[in-house]
Amino acid sequence: MRTPLLAANWKMYKTAEDAAAFVRDFLPRVAGLSGIEIALCPPFTALTTVAHEVRGSGIAVGAQDMFWEEAGAYTGEISPGMLVAAGCRYVIIGHSERRQYFGETDETVNRKVLAALRRGLRPIVCVGESLSQREAGTTEEVVKSQVKAALAGVRPEAACEIVIAYEPIWAIGTGRNATGVEANRVIGLIRRQIAELYPANPEVPAQLRIQYGGSVKPENIVEFMSQPEIDGGLVGGASLDPAGFATLCRLSAEAASRRVRERA
Ligand code: 13P
């Protein structure tokens, strides 16, 4: 049984002080929720603060990017070991904004995925098609090639630790989300592809979590969480407000427990 992951991608929002205020407001609101995992992914400068504030709560911390080398003359970069030391369990890799603005490629995504796994960090690997790719009918091809490239050389035991976030680019920050049915279809396709990539290891597609991301909010989270293939969400804008994100997490936990009951 896969535990859905609700991850907050704060992007370039919140100072360490803002982040601490968020966590203090957020924690009591989600205390006692079960059946889901929650992760907060603040900017680098707030990682240690958030890790300190969430200690003992069961909430995980993630970074939004990293470099693949452990140390060296790489001005401006952050290593996997530094993220572990800062208290991270997760690291978002290959977000479409990094691909679009910072030259991230399928090859650098793969190097980062391998480096994260070597250090025991769980990558949240982002894939998704652009609007023009969608309109050209190439969604499946694009997403499959991104997944295949990201997982190149990843051993089956490590692959089970990976989270994939299917984030159609046209749905990010636009208020225009994919429908639950459509996201479930593409995510099902990704899961079948993972099964093909690991033909001798059925536990990989069974365990690897695949989230939906793109204009997820309290008003639509239940639609996604009710789909059998969707293992939670990667949430941008709607994760910045503690009350709103807590509502989203509570609705997710309720939907997850309904899903468990229905499968029993
Ligand atoms: P929004 O939820 O703001 O659309 O952002 C999605 C996203 O990019 C999460 O990584």
Side-chain angles (χ1 to χ4, degrees):
M1 197 68 195
R2 298 182 296 270
T3 304
L5 171 66
L6 280 299
N9 175 8
W10 287 352
K11 307 189 179 185
M12 201 172 72
Y13 293 101
K14 295 191 192 296
T15 61
E17 197 182 330
D18 300 336
F22 176 103
V23 178
R24 285 180 201 150
D25 187 331
F26 180 68
L27 282 190
R29 296 176 187 269
V30 293
L33 289 190
S34 61
I36 57 163
E37 189 182 357
I38 301 172
L40 302 177
C41 306
F44 291 126
T45 47
L47 283 173
T48 51
T49 302
V50 171
H52 177 76
E53 294 288 338
V54 300
R55 201 163 293 162
S57 69
I59 292 175
V61 180
Q64 300 174 16
D65 184 35
M66 52 160 236
F67 191 46
W68 55 78
E69 294 290 347
E70 258 316 310
Y74 303 106
T75 302
E77 291 298 322
I78 307 276
S79 77
M82 290 172 184
L83 296 185
V84 172
C88 291
R89 185 185 305 163
Y90 291 98
V91 55
I92 298 171
I93 294 177
H95 192 281
S96 61
E97 287 150 14
R98 298 226 54 93
R99 295 181 194 250
Q100 183 180 353
Y101 304 123
F102 303 100
E104 194 84 87
T105 64
D106 282 348
E107 200 221 323
T108 59
V109 168
N110 178 242
R111 292 184 79 161
K112 292 180 179 186
V113 166
L114 293 168
L117 290 167
R118 263 198 305 277
R119 264 302 191 152
L121 282 165
R122 298 179 179 192
I124 300 176
V125 182
C126 301
V127 299
E129 81 285 3
S130 65
L131 184 59
S132 60
Q133 290 165 330
R134 175 182 160 87
E135 284 170 348
T138 56
T139 297
E140 299 177 12
E141 202 181 303
V142 169
V143 169
K144 280 174 123 177
S145 82
Q146 289 174 335
V147 170
K148 186 172 182 205
L151 268 60
V154 176
R155 299 169 57 82
E157 318 79 77
C160 294
E161 302 292 314
I162 292 178
V163 177
I164 292 177
Y166 168 56
E167 298 206 308
I169 297 169
W170 49 270
I172 296 178
T174 57
R176 204 183 137 196
N177 57 281
T179 64
V181 170
E182 171 62 3
N184 190 66
R185 187 186 71 80
V186 179
I187 289 176
L189 210 120
I190 296 172
R191 200 175 301 288
R192 282 194 294 283
Q193 187 201 6
I194 306 249
E196 284 164 24
L197 292 172
Y198 295 92
N201 300 87
E203 71 280 10
V204 179
Q207 289 177 22
L208 182 152
R209 291 175 291 178
I210 312 179
Q211 307 171 296
Y212 168 75
S215 297
V216 173
K217 45 188 180 259
E219 294 75 23
N220 60 24
I221 186 64
V222 175
E223 178 181 349
F224 296 111
M225 286 295 298
S226 307
Q227 300 290 335
E229 295 288 355
I230 304 182
D231 305 318
L234 183 56
V235 187
S239 73
L240 294 169
D241 167 58
F245 190 53
T247 300
L248 199 151
C249 291
R250 184 175 45 76
L251 292 168
S252 300
E254 288 165 8
S257 80
R258 275 196 299 278
R259 230 159 80 164
V260 171
R261 278 200 303 278
E262 280 160 18
R263 281 185 200 169

